[in-house]
Amino acid sequence: MSKIQADPGKHEKAPASRSHEEDRTKELPLSILTEIVQGRLPKQLLTAWPEMESEESEMLDVLLDALDKFLDKHVDPIAIDREARIPESVLDECKELGLFGLIIPEEHGGLGLGSTAYTRVLQRIGIACASLATTIGAHSSIGLKALLLFGNEKQKKRWLPDLAVGERIAAFCLTEPNAGSDAGSIQCKATPDGDGGWILDGTKSWITNGGIGGLYTVFARTPAPEGWPEKKPHLACFIVEREQEGLSIGVEEDKLGLKGSSTTEVRLEQVRVSDEQRLGTDGEGFSMALEVLNSGRLGLAGGCAGTTRDLLEKARVQASERTQFGRPIASFGLIQQKLGTMAVELYGMESLVFLMTGLVDRRARGEVQCATFLEAAAAKIYCTERLWDSCHESLQIAGGNGFMREYPYERRLRDARVNMIFEGTNEILRLMVALHCLEPLGKEIKRAIKGIKKPSRFLPSLGTLLKFQLGSVGHYSCPIQGDDPDLLASWERVDATLRAFPIAARTLLLRHGKKIFEEQEDLALLADLAQQVLVSLASFLRCYVRGKPSSMETELCSETLRRKQAQAQDLGRRIGHSSPKAHRSLVDRMQAGETCPTL
């Protein structure tokens, strides 16, 4: 089990008497990454591109049309950024459009959108104004999500209707001054009041929607029963209403970007709540918080893809209209390189996001059984960092204009920076993805080592260990049938990218063994390789499973696959051969008081 717990739905260990096939069944639902790292392709998840159902698609078209008109007419992102607030009139219009009830079921007054439709809406809002998208997204993706996932029917009936119409705006209160990525170390306490309720004390930091919230999802430490594992946080999740005595809100933070969104401290001093305000089971708050964060990452990734598309279009127009040396700058090779890279990365971002949101929707409809928390984390890393690259490149293409506040580029760059911190820093998520992908391989090695000691299992166990030692991984067969040359050539690139992943993972385990947890540099490289795997696979499926692609799409897909293959092979070569000793030694010396040499 990895040290970074990220799947609250983990199954218990199978009894020792179980067969290997039973063990594999026990580990369902499938994860694309954990299957690929074991040399298997989960074709049941990949034979069709997931599409929205027709009724939801039609409703989405109507909503997006109304949304576009509202955004064009009423939302001024420059004014929101400069005044550091979203006007009440804009929030009121959002309430009228149902934007605070996007994922709340219809029976509780919401629109009941699936993951794909919800992500499409966030994209449109984010293109117009990132601060507004953050406000809406924090309300739905994390603020009310614990109530939606873990609340009982009485709790949902009590709070969801007000949340759906924006009568109450939700905020997610997990982070504290000394508990960020290490959420298990939170100090906010919930003490039993002796009358069936609880008393909350503590401070939550950097809470999005803190200043405008009407309902706060608060995670607090509760007394652990005897025998509770020492290293497992004993937390509970509570719903706290704005008007409750003892709850106070700090001043608005002065931020680098997303200036229009509300970010404050939330302080709880002897806040008394009833046990009916506790969600789920006492002690399971940590896994609940992780599941909420897991479920919110695809919306953030999709929003990044939408903003990248908008930046690409603005950069294209700028490069076409700006002339230097008597010709448009779009005719120069280095500018073409920037635009081409943005287009290729956008294709990969959108492919990955909407493959995964589609699988989430298919799972909700009962069509497939699959886990997506690793893939959502990888998508969050990939899309937030590619958006940052696109902000940099589009600003560079705009030249001096890009540095001026009257143009959108500098605001886009400031707004985009926090995405790599939101909902789990990209560093923590890299470790999570890598360790969870290594977990099934670690179990396989342990089984093989035990099997060598048994005559009936000696030969197959020895074969498993030899395959690990040699880095032997078979080819992945294409999930779709066809003899089109472009399709076959493209799959060869995908296969090469996929095969680099399990080979690198085996290399890491053999090189580091039980010390793998401390080899963060190599783990990060493996997580980056996982991203190339997912983008390559998703881009291929988007191009060839959805129908006959245009020549433009074929070219985009081909270049995406070529780049992902090259990047995967480069990462594979570096994994296991990184040299952390030098930088670790330098940091140790700096921490001991030595300073960098001066001239």
Side-chain angles (χ1 to χ4, degrees):
M1 182 67 182
S2 66
K3 289 184 178 177
I4 300 176
Q5 181 183 356
D7 186 1
K10 276 283 180 188
H11 297 273
E12 297 175 357
K13 284 187 177 180
S17 60
R18 277 188 173 273
S19 69
H20 295 298
E21 189 59 38
E22 286 175 321
D23 280 344
R24 183 178 167 186
T25 302
K26 185 75 172 175
E27 292 168 0
L28 292 175
L30 297 174
S31 160
I32 292 175
L33 281 176
T34 57
E35 285 292 289
I36 291 174
V37 83
Q38 295 175 84
R40 303 188 291 260
L41 194 66
K43 290 187 178 181
Q44 60 269 54
L45 305 180
L46 307 173
T47 53
W49 183 265
E51 301 282 0
M52 283 188 292
E53 293 184 318
S54 58
E55 184 177 343
E56 183 177 37
S57 180
E58 292 171 3
M59 180 176 70
L60 178 62
D61 288 341
V62 173
L63 176 59
L64 290 179
D65 182 62
L67 179 61
D68 285 341
K69 293 175 182 176
F70 156 66
L71 294 171
D72 288 342
K73 185 175 181 180
H74 297 288
V75 177
D76 183 346
I78 297 175
I80 287 173
D81 181 66
R82 289 185 175 173
E83 295 170 14
R85 60 179 294 274
I86 299 171
E88 284 295 327
S89 59
V90 170
L91 293 177
D92 288 341
E93 287 286 344
C94 290
K95 296 172 185 178
E96 289 293 322
L97 284 170
L99 298 184
F100 286 99
L102 293 172
I103 64 171
I104 295 176
E106 293 181 26
E107 60 265 30
H108 295 298
L111 298 179
L113 297 185
S115 182
T116 299
Y118 171 66
T119 301
R120 296 273 187 198
V121 173
L122 276 190
Q123 280 190 327
R124 293 291 182 90
I125 301 173
I127 289 172
C129 178
S131 290
L132 183 59
T134 298
T135 302
I136 301 294
H139 168 83
S140 296
S141 294
I142 54 176
L144 61 82
K145 201 60 175 285
L147 175 61
L148 207 56
L149 291 174
F150 304 108
N152 58 41
E153 281 306 307
K154 184 177 180 181
Q155 290 168 328
K156 290 178 181 179
K157 288 179 180 178
R158 177 177 174 182
W159 286 299
L160 284 180
D162 281 352
L163 291 165
V165 297
E167 185 68 25
R168 291 185 184 273
I169 295 175
F172 182 77
C173 298
L174 178 66
T175 304
E176 296 180 8
N178 295 309
S181 297
D182 183 12
S185 66
I186 69 173
Q187 296 302 308
C188 180
K189 291 183 179 180
T191 307
D193 66 0
D195 196 27
W198 304 81
I199 298 175
L200 304 181
D201 284 285
T203 299
K204 299 294 181 177
S205 301
W206 305 304
I207 303 303
T208 303
N209 290 347
I212 61 173
L215 181 144
Y216 301 87
T217 302
V218 177
F219 293 85
R221 187 175 296 276
T222 55
E226 187 176 347
W228 187 264
E230 184 179 346
K231 294 184 179 181
K232 182 180 179 182
H234 193 276
L235 309 179
C237 178
F238 300 90
I239 295 293
V240 181
E241 297 173 329
R242 175 67 174 255
E243 61 271 19
Q244 290 193 242
E245 187 176 352
L247 184 141
S248 61
I249 308 300
V251 299
E252 291 288 347
E253 301 285 359
D254 187 8
K255 308 188 294 283
L256 170 71
L258 299 180
K259 288 181 173 290
S261 66
S262 173
T263 306
T264 68
E265 277 192 344
V266 173
R267 294 185 286 267
L268 303 111
E269 299 177 26
Q270 294 284 295
V271 176
R272 189 177 299 274
V273 295
S274 68
D275 198 52
E276 293 179 354
Q277 289 174 258
R278 178 174 55 81
L279 300 177
T281 305
D282 181 24
E284 295 304 314
F286 184 59
S287 60
M288 292 165 62
L290 291 175
E291 186 162 346
V292 169
L293 292 171
N294 290 337
S295 67
R297 289 180 181 127
L298 285 176
L300 177 57
C304 290
T307 304
T308 298
R309 177 171 286 277
D310 184 59
L311 283 169
L312 175 60
E313 177 58 19
K314 285 180 168 58
R316 182 196 65 79
V317 172
Q318 170 74 15
S320 299
E321 295 179 350
R322 172 76 166 167
T323 60
Q324 292 290 286
F325 307 104
R327 50 196 277 206
I329 64 171
S331 66
F332 295 113
L334 288 178
I335 301 299
Q336 291 176 344
Q337 182 183 52
K338 295 178 187 299
L339 291 170
T341 297
M342 288 174 67
V344 168
E345 295 296 1
L346 172 63
Y347 189 80
M349 292 165 73
E350 289 182 338
S351 301
L352 175 54
V353 167
F354 288 110
L355 172 63
M356 299 320 303
T357 61
L359 285 177
V360 170
D361 289 338
R362 290 184 66 195
R363 182 178 63 202
R365 296 195 294 264
E367 297 174 7
V368 295
Q369 291 295 317
C370 63
T372 56
F373 76 100
L374 289 179
E375 293 75 13
K380 187 268 187 182
I381 300 168
Y382 190 80
C383 292
T384 57
E385 293 181 1
R386 298 295 79 73
L387 171 58
W388 178 251
D389 293 341
S390 296
C391 288
H392 169 77
E393 296 292 23
S394 60
L395 190 153
Q396 189 72 10
I397 290 170
N401 287 342
F403 205 65
M404 301 301 126
R405 294 194 68 180
E406 64 183 291
Y407 293 89
Y409 304 101
E410 62 86 29
R411 172 170 47 84
R412 292 288 199 202
L413 187 140
R414 288 187 287 106
D415 288 343
R417 183 59 188 87
V418 76
N419 292 329
M420 291 172 278
I421 300 171
F422 268 166
E423 300 187 25
T425 68
N426 286 7
E427 290 77 17
I428 286 291
L429 293 185
R430 279 185 163 89
L431 299 182
M432 184 189 85
V433 169
L435 288 171
H436 274 279
C437 286
L438 290 173
E439 187 177 348
L441 295 182
K443 291 179 179 178
E444 189 177 346
I445 290 179
K446 288 181 180 179
R447 285 195 295 263
I449 292 173
K450 289 181 180 180
I452 280 183
K453 300 175 183 179
K454 300 177 181 179
S456 62
R457 296 291 306 162
F458 177 79
L459 288 178
S461 297
L462 181 62
T464 297
L465 292 175
L466 285 174
K467 285 182 179 179
F468 262 75
Q469 190 70 41
L470 297 172
S472 176
V473 176
H475 290 277
Y476 296 85
S477 60
C478 185
I480 55 177
Q481 299 298 316
D483 55 5
D484 176 65
D486 286 337
L487 183 150
L488 297 176
S490 293
W491 183 254
E492 284 187 13
R493 290 196 179 280
V494 177
D495 177 52
T497 303
L498 267 56
R499 292 180 72 241
F501 186 44
I503 292 172
R506 285 161 171 76
T507 299
L508 272 184
L509 284 175
L510 290 172
R511 183 175 295 271
H512 300 303
K514 293 181 180 180
K515 296 180 180 179
I516 188 67
F517 296 106
E518 297 302 322
E519 301 301 325
Q520 294 190 358
E521 296 90 344
D522 275 346
L523 290 172
L525 292 175
L526 185 67
D528 287 342
L529 180 48
Q531 295 166 50
Q532 312 311 317
V533 164
L534 288 172
V535 171
S536 180
L537 183 60
S539 298
F540 173 84
L541 294 173
R542 174 184 179 179
C543 185
Y544 292 105
V545 174
R546 293 180 70 231
K548 186 173 178 57
S550 66
S551 60
M552 173 69 168
E553 181 162 14
T554 301
E555 185 174 354
L556 258 179
C557 179
S558 177
E559 179 61 11
T560 301
L561 301 185
R562 185 194 68 79
R563 293 189 186 205
K564 299 304 121 181
Q565 180 186 2
Q567 290 165 359
Q569 290 173 341
D570 177 61
L571 288 164
R573 284 190 292 267
R574 292 164 58 195
I575 285 174
H577 299 282
S578 60
S579 302
K581 290 183 180 179
H583 66 245
R584 291 181 183 180
S585 173
L586 287 170
V587 173
D588 286 343
R589 297 178 73 162
M590 286 188 284
Q591 292 295 94
E594 291 189 53
T595 58
C596 291
T598 59
L599 289 174

